[in-house]
Amino acid sequence: QVQLVQSGAEVREPGASVKVSCKASGYTFTGFYLYWVRLAPGQGLEWMGWINPHSGDTDSAQKFLGRVTMTRDTSITTAYMELNSLTSDDTAVYYCARRPSTVVAFDYWGQGTLVAVSS
Amino acid sequence: QSALTQPRSVSGSPGQSVTISCTGSSSDVGGYNYVSWYQQHPGKAPKLLIYDVFKRPSGVPDRFSGSKSGNTASLTISGLQAEDEADYYCCSFAGSHTPFGGGTRLTVL
């Protein structure tokens, strides 16, 4: 069965970086885009960006340009999202989500990774 | 790159129907038939309910239906059940980005 398993919760100080992983299984890793979406306290879901695991191509929301890096390691079917220059506004649950190539929707989601930014 | 606009909350009694709206622009909701809807219970990951405006993934009850008119998409939940109490988000393809709505809290009275 399709599974996206994310790394555990992280606590960081302002100005630091965090790297979240998303281990995919149960499907062809390179056949589906992976998106990163976050949910901050009291806010709605927010699209951050995506990676094409086949080519390594990425794109990110304008808000995160220059601050987010998305990578993948096809040998271990894992995608990564690194966010730097963290502020308290980045405190959120971060999700990876799979997008089929023929559908503009997210059919499977990781369990979420809480990133708390606090001094 | 603004988020799509949803009502903050809606409510209904068991057995009733509720509709959640999602308003965007001609650059997103109105320009593409790629609206999707997600249900999220507290502490859980979002779950896909509707894609391509009105299509349901297998396993999603037909109590959930989607539609679109102009720049506004809608999710209708009929025969409300207690377990439908959750947050609901719309999402639309918009060319270079993929905005979500701000979310709607559904309360089952």
Side-chain angles (χ1 to χ4, degrees), chain A residues 45 47 62 95 105-106 109-110, chain B residues 1 38 40 44-46 97-98:
Chain A
L45 294 174
W47 168 71
Q62 194 170 1
Y95 296 98
F106 310 113
W109 294 67
Chain B
Q1 299 181 347
Y38 303 85
Q40 186 173 34
K44 301 294 187 182
H97 64 291
T98 313

Side-chain angles (χ1 to χ4, degrees), chain B residues 43-83:
Chain B
K44 301 294 187 182
K47 173 189 174 183
L48 177 63
L49 292 176
I50 297 287
Y51 68 97
D52 291 356
V53 177
F54 62 89
K55 299 176 182 177
R56 277 188 311 276
S58 61
V60 174
D62 59 5
R63 302 187 296 105
F64 295 90
S65 62
S67 62
K68 190 185 84 167
S69 177
N71 296 335
T72 298
S74 298
L75 172 71
T76 298
I77 309 171
S78 58
L80 269 179
Q81 300 180 3
E83 57 262 35

